[in-house]
Structures are given as C-alpha cells and as structure tokens.
Amino acid sequence: MTTSSQSKSNFNTRVKDLQNQLPDLLISEDVDDLKNYGRDWTRFIEPKPCAVVFPRSTEEVQSLVRWAKDKQQALVPSGGRTGLSGGAVAADGELVVSLDKMRNIISFNADDRLLHVQAGVTTAAVHAAAVEQGLFYPVDFASSGSSQIGGNVATNAGGIRVLRYGLTREQVRGLTVVTGTGERLDLNQGLIKNATGYDLRHLMIGSEGTLGIITEVTLALVSPPPPLGVMLLGLTGIGDIMPVFNACRHAGRLTAFEFFTQACVEQVCAAHGLKAPLDEVCDCYVLLEFEQATEADEAQMLAAFEQVLEAGYVIDGVLSQSDSQAEELWRYREWISESISHRTPYKNDVSVRIAQVTEFLQSLDQLVTEHYPEFEVLWYGHIGDGNLHMNVLRPEAMSVHDFHSHSERLTDVVYGEVARYKGSISAEHGVGILKKDWLHHSRSDAERALFMHIKQVFDPSGIMNPGKVI
Ligand code: MLT
Ligand code: ZN
C-alpha cells in the first residue's frame, strides 16, 4: 500500500518526466489549478489530480497520450467543466488534459456551411462565429458561455432546442480524435453521405473521454430561424401538459417546449428578485418557443392558447411582445439550475418516451413523496423531448456528504421506475462517475459487455478517463 506522501512523490517524478519528454507542453501543479481543473460542476467528489496540462494542438495531444500510455498514467480530458455527472472529475492522481488553449476557429466553408474548430472553443463562440457568417448553430443551454464544443460532443449535449434541431450528434460532420493508443483519427471529414461501414464518429460522440480525446470538430451550421415567439403558460396540473403540447405543436413549429413547477419559480424569484411570471400562481408551467415568420403564425398560436384555456388545461398565460420580453420569460426556466446551486442539489436527468412522460412524472413524484417526504424536490426539464430534471435540494443544515448518501438511496427508487418505463437514467448529462453504478437500469448486460470490448480496442492500456461510464 502506498502512503499519500509516497504517491505524491511519485506524481512529482511523473510530472518531471513529462516536462523532460515534452518541454514545450504547458504544465501546471498550482494548487488552485488542481482544484479548478480537477472537477466539473458536481460538488460531491474531492478533486485530486497530479497536474494539469494545456496542449495547443492535436499533435501535442498525440505526444502526450503516447507518453501517458508508456507510463500507464491516467488522463482526464477537461473542457468547460460544466458537466453534472462527474465525467471530468480527476479524484485519483490523474493528469487533467485541459483543452483551454485549443480555442481556434480553424476555418469556415460557405458552400458546405461547415465550421471547423478546435475542441476548446466555447459553445457561445460557435454561436457568434455562426452569426458572423449569417448562419445559426442551434445547440444551446444556460452554460453555453463556458461549456466547450469538445465537451458537448463528448457528452452529446442536448439543451433547449433538441425538439427542433436534435442533439449535438446531429450537428457533427467531422471529428479529429486521439485514441488511447495515441493514434489520430480524422472521422467523416465533413461529408453528408458516407456509407462506408461503421461510423466511428458516432461512437466517439457521447463516449465521455473514455475512448479518446476529441481535439477538433467540424459542425454543420443552418439557416437562422425566423423571429421567435415565446409563450409562458400556467397549468392546472401535470396531467394537462400533453394536451397543451399537442395543441401547440399542431398550431405551429415549436423550437422548445420546457416545463417547470411553482417551486422552481419561487427559487428563481428569490435568487434574482424577479416577480412572479403570471398573476395566477399555478401548479406548473410550460414555456414554449415557436417560429413566428408571419402574423398568421402568431394568430394560430394564440388560437391554440384560447383552445387550451377554454378546455381548462391552462389557467393563465403570456406571449412575448419583443425579443427582450422573450428573454425575460426564458429566465424563469434557464435560471433554475444556477438559482439552486447553493443547495448542492442531487440531480437526476431522466427520460422516457414523450407519450409516457406525464404519467411517468406523476408516478415518480408520488413514489418520492411516499418514500422520502422529508426531501424538497424540484422538477423541471425539456418535457417536449421526454426529458425531466429531478433536483433534490440539500437541507441547509445537512452536510454535503450526508446529503449525498441519503440521496443515493432515493436514486434506487427513481431508477427502478425509469427501468419500468424502459427509459434512460441519463438523458443529456452523461454517466460520468455519479450514474455509473446504475447503468444496468438502462443498458443490458450484453450492451455493457460490448462497451468493455470497445473500450479495450480504443484504449487497451485503460488510461482514458478510467472509472467513468463503465
Ligand atoms: C438544464 O436543463 O437546466 C440543465 O440541464 C442543467 C440542469 O439540469 O440543472
Ligand atoms: Zn437540461
């Protein structure tokens, strides 16, 4: 058994060796860097990396991975560190590979409408680059200012417009990846059609750094959407969500259909000093965004609103009259996560088929209330995609550690129900460390055995983000 001082001295020797082998590589052992770069937004695991490195090119990543393979040094790829499942946590002496210095926009091709970027470019910078070309990159979420495109691809990030444009996977036309053997793969190279066997690009998307490090990404940009309208509706109960969803998607082209409860509204209002969004206090709310190219589009959506109001599904509602009002309405949904972060919430990110989502939500809510009446639970999510975020709030007096152990017991109840509905235990946040022990609820024994074989092929030395996903 090694003592902590022995293992620390091993780390230092390792880092010195790395410095000698790759003298141009930026390396930090600064205590603050170790803490910052050793974790993501999860707060349940103490970061303990041996060092952080900042490669600047695919070639430098290749040299680094070859060195790590030789030394059996575990690597943790790290993007904007906004993950919520511990996928970028280095808690066991790993070397963190930050993509922070790989922020170049490499090229744009107008005929192909393809943007080629290094993996460390932020989602917001991709949005801005698309706008500069008169185009649009549709994947968006609250953390887009700091999340990086490599991390988005590694977790197949979702967000608020999946309903209209799909997940990150749908936007990726090419990837450069350095596998666990140090080999460089240039996958799909911007093609739309490519029927030449296994599409390894799609294997890398969502692999959470367990097969290789994504260093460059080629993204398909799309035409900008027409002006968008936003409507926030207060509902009588969860059971009324589906008829409202169906009426609205029949009336126009939806770009988002989000859901949250009154408890979420209270948290956002308290954290940001906002007033309630509607005159009526409602059980739950949906926020929908729709394409409003003509006046007829608005009229049709208003007619749908009248219809659901008359049917008694909706109590009250508001339609944005300007872009700034639309932005204000979005705050009630987009600010929930950040407003509750001081309560170190225990997050579940689950999905079922859309047709089952309200029944699933009702049954889960009942189970949680029955088994754990002492927990304060917030529900919100991308209900138009069948994706719910269940956030259990830590009682102010309970330590983070005790709260985590308590919440894990609740997770067995939640995931049991997810399995009954043949749903997913992680819809968009990834598996990371936090969800790993429950993967069998969503993936069969045969699938998990294949995961292991695939890992073995791309990373035979087991140095790529060990302990994550499988
Ligand atoms: C969201 O939908 O707000 C994000 O996935 C973050 C979260 O779940 O807290
Ligand atoms: Zn989400």
Side-chain angles (χ1 to χ4, degrees), residues 159 333 349 380-382 387 389 428-429:
R333 166 63 185 92
D349 161 42
Y380 56 93
H382 319 284
N387 179 189
H389 296 312
E428 59 169 7
H429 292 171

Side-chain angles (χ1 to χ4, degrees), residues 107-115 124-139 165 173 219-226:
S107 66
F108 170 71
N109 186 295
D111 294 336
D112 288 317
R113 290 185 157 188
L114 289 180
L115 186 71
V126 169
H127 291 154
V131 169
E132 233 172 77
Q133 303 299 337
L135 294 170
F136 182 60
Y137 180 66
V139 177
Y165 296 99
R173 284 281 178 75
L219 296 164
L221 304 182
V222 296
S223 298

Side-chain angles (χ1 to χ4, degrees), residues 68-307:
K69 183 173 161 259
D70 215 40
K71 302 289 177 216
Q72 276 295 301
Q73 172 61 53
L75 303 175
V76 174
S78 166
R81 304 181 305 286
T82 55
L84 295 164
S85 295
V89 169
D92 198 19
E94 302 94 327
L95 182 64
V96 175
V97 184
S98 166
L99 278 297
D100 269 8
K101 302 284 180 214
M102 293 185 64
R103 291 189 184 235
N104 291 330
I105 304 235
I106 300 166
S107 66
F108 170 71
N109 186 295
D111 294 336
D112 288 317
R113 290 185 157 188
L114 289 180
L115 186 71
H116 182 196
V117 299
Q118 283 189 307
V121 170
T122 63
T123 318
V126 169
H127 291 154
V131 169
E132 233 172 77
Q133 303 299 337
L135 294 170
F136 182 60
Y137 180 66
V139 177
D140 199 6
F141 29 72
S143 62
S144 64
S146 34
S147 74
Q148 296 177 3
I149 207 72
N152 292 359
V153 174
T155 55
N156 190 20
I160 54 178
R161 299 212 173 85
V162 173
L163 182 67
R164 168 75 173 87
Y165 296 99
L167 295 146
T168 297
R169 182 184 298 285
E170 270 77 38
Q171 332 301 327
V172 177
R173 284 281 178 75
L175 282 183
T176 300
V177 181
V178 176
T179 69
T181 62
E183 196 162 6
R184 172 188 176 130
L185 298 178
D186 289 296
L187 303 172
N188 198 59
Q189 320 241 34
L191 300 175
I192 296 174
K193 300 181 94 171
N194 182 6
T196 53
Y198 308 123
D199 195 333
L200 301 179
R201 159 188 53 159
H202 286 298
L203 193 53
M204 295 298 160
I205 300 170
S207 63
E208 300 187 45
T210 59
L211 305 179
I213 301 180
I214 294 164
T215 58
E216 293 171 29
V217 183
T218 302
L219 296 164
L221 304 182
V222 296
S223 298
L228 300 171
V230 172
M231 204 145 81
L232 194 149
L233 306 177
L235 273 54
T236 37
I238 287 164
D240 295 332
I241 294 173
M242 237 352 106
V244 173
F245 180 44
N246 282 326
C248 294
R249 67 175 162 171
H250 195 68
R253 179 167 249 180
L254 297 182
T255 51
F257 192 84
E258 299 286 313
F259 147 84
F260 44 95
T261 57
Q262 171 62 18
C264 300
V265 168
E266 284 163 19
Q267 293 288 340
V268 174
C269 291
H272 294 280
L274 300 187
K275 64 177 184 52
L278 302 174
D279 292 339
E280 297 279 343
V281 170
C282 302
D283 189 64
C284 62
Y285 302 82
V286 292
L287 181 146
L288 57 109
E289 190 186 69
F290 61 100
E291 294 186 355
Q292 211 178 346
T294 63
E295 279 179 16
D297 292 336
E298 182 181 317
Q300 272 168 16
M301 202 52 80
L302 280 173
F305 170 65
E306 293 296 335
Q307 184 195 325

